[in-house]
Amino acid sequence: MARADVVLAMGCHDVRVAVQAARLWHEGWAPLVVVSGGRGKVTSGWAETEARVFARAVREHGVPEDALLLEETATNTGENITATRRLLEGREIRRGILVAKPYMTRRSLATAMRQWPGVEWLASAPEVGYEAHADGPDGRRFLELMVGDLRRMAVYAERGFQVPMPVPEEAWAAHEELARLGYGRYLTG
């Protein structure tokens, strides 16, 4: 028996999110995978939507068509949740698993709790360490995205887009220092 009703792969530039969603499907966590994403701030120049890129990866990892749905309009985390909710309207969704980049899981969870209440949400991420991101060719962008995402944890809770999530003082201090050092490209204010 499945442990959830749906695995939702949160669209982004990292295809490892889709691979993780496929892995969860193979392990029997849920009978359905939804890949969500149009084009966002990092993927605006892609020829295909994030959902199409993710769907291809999910299929390549053995998820059949009848277990896969595409949501191609979302441009941000909130829309990943609300557009998928509309897509699955009429289906009974009691429990879902969000799959996101490692540094996005808490904000994804906080957003789902606000935007799709009544569902018990779990979060999962590809097992990728900090060094794999920071030491790669996109190391600077990774830090900029991470700094921006942490800021959204506070700003979006204040705006009512997500439930508040505590941020340890040490993490917030590191965020402030990185922003001061010029890693604030994706800050929301």
Side-chain angles (χ1 to χ4, degrees):
M1 181 173 168
R3 302 171 207 171
D5 301 301
V6 64
V7 171
L8 171 53
M10 306 288 282
C12 63
H13 66 280
D14 192 339
V15 178
R16 292 175 291 198
V17 169
V19 174
Q20 174 71 3
R23 186 181 70 75
L24 293 173
W25 181 86
H26 279 290
E27 291 177 1
W29 282 91
L32 179 64
V33 174
V34 174
V35 291
S36 174
R39 290 179 183 89
K41 63 182 168 279
V42 177
T43 61
S44 61
W46 284 14
E48 295 180 292
T49 63
E50 296 164 354
R52 287 190 186 268
V53 172
F54 275 26
R56 186 169 38 260
V58 166
R59 286 183 199 108
E60 288 171 359
H61 283 82
V63 175
E65 286 297 325
D66 63 350
L68 176 63
L69 290 176
L70 279 70
E71 183 295 302
E72 297 186 79
T73 65
T75 62
N76 60 51
T77 303
E79 291 175 3
N80 287 135
I81 304 298
T82 58
T84 299
R85 184 178 185 179
R86 283 190 302 275
L87 178 69
L88 297 178
E89 197 169 308
R91 295 179 188 237
E92 187 173 357
I93 306 296
R94 295 180 308 270
R95 188 178 223 196
I97 302 171
L98 303 164
V99 183
K101 295 173 287 190
Y103 61 89
M104 284 283 302
T105 55
R106 287 185 72 212
R107 190 163 70 80
S108 296
L109 186 59
T111 302
M113 292 168 70
R114 171 73 71 212
Q115 301 298 328
W116 199 345
V119 174
E120 180 184 350
W121 290 103
L122 305 171
S124 181
E127 294 182 22
V128 180
Y130 171 81
E131 292 80 14
H133 286 289
D135 294 339
D138 291 330
R140 180 171 185 87
R141 182 173 68 179
F142 163 68
L143 287 173
E144 291 170 342
L145 288 166
M146 199 167 63
V147 167
D149 193 65
L150 188 56
R151 174 74 54 92
R152 285 177 184 81
M153 290 285 290
V155 171
Y156 287 179
E158 290 171 4
R159 293 181 184 172
F161 300 158
Q162 66 184 50
V163 299
M165 284 281 192
V167 176
E169 286 182 33
E170 298 83 12
W172 194 256
H175 157 271
E176 291 293 325
E177 181 64 10
L178 286 167
R180 188 187 68 72
L181 291 172
Y183 292 93
R185 180 177 173 194
Y186 296 112
L187 286 178
T188 298

